[in-house]
Structure formats: C-alpha cells, structure tokens
Amino acid sequence: MEPTIAKKGPYAVDVETGKNYHWCACGRSQNQPFCDGSHKETGFTPVAFAPTETGKAFLCGCKHSNNKPFCDGTHAKLE
Ligand code: FES
Ligand code: FES
C-alpha cells in the first residue's frame, strides 16, 4: 500500500532533545507530521525519533522520503 501524501513538502517543526517523537508514516494523521493513531489497518507504523539537537526539524510530509522521518527532496519528484 502506498502512503497518503499529506503534503508535497516538509513540515518545519520545533523539536527538543530528550523527547521522543513519532512521525506519521501512513499520511493519514490529522496531526501532521506526527502520528495520531490513524494508521490502524493501513499496515504502516510510525517512525520514532529522538532529536540530537533542539531546534527546527524538516519532517517529510509526502511520506516518500528515503531518509524517514526527514525530508530528502523526494517530494519534488512525485506526480
Ligand atoms: Fe517528503 Fe520532502 S516532503 S521528501
Ligand atoms: Fe500515520 Fe500513525 S497516523 S503512522
């Protein structure tokens, strides 16, 4: 199953070291770019990450990045 494209571009979010985040891999969350449990029955599971720096993170909104949960520019190649 292909993930849903939540947005064809990254979400710039403020993250903090010492916290754990769960990036939405399925694209269905209403709380992008984070998981809200909507992946149920999609076969997708969220990607956990713990930032190494406090500050802005650019998290993939298209869900097709090859470096999840981060945007790697793949969104520019999507139809
Ligand atoms: Fe997905 Fe950029 S938003 S690769
Ligand atoms: Fe998308 Fe959980 S809601 S991975």
Side-chain angles (χ1 to χ4, degrees):
M1 188 191 264
E2 285 288 305
T4 300
I5 297 171
K7 176 184 165 187
K8 270 193 190 168
Y11 291 95
V13 292
D14 290 308
V15 296
E16 291 175 36
T17 51
K19 286 196 179 174
N20 280 303
Y21 297 86
H22 292 87
W23 174 79
C24 168
C26 73
R28 292 189 180 189
S29 172
Q30 298 298 312
N31 184 34
Q32 293 295 333
F34 302 111
C35 173
D36 71 353
S38 300
H39 59 266
K40 252 190 200 168
E41 292 163 22
T42 64
F44 288 96
T45 50
V47 176
F49 77 106
T52 51
E53 281 179 33
T54 292
K56 285 259 185 274
F58 293 87
L59 302 185
C60 173
C62 75
K63 313 303 177 184
H64 287 71
S65 172
N66 291 307
N67 186 31
K68 299 172 178 64
F70 305 103
C71 171
D72 72 349
T74 298
H75 63 264
K77 297 178 204 145
L78 297 176
E79 291 292 307

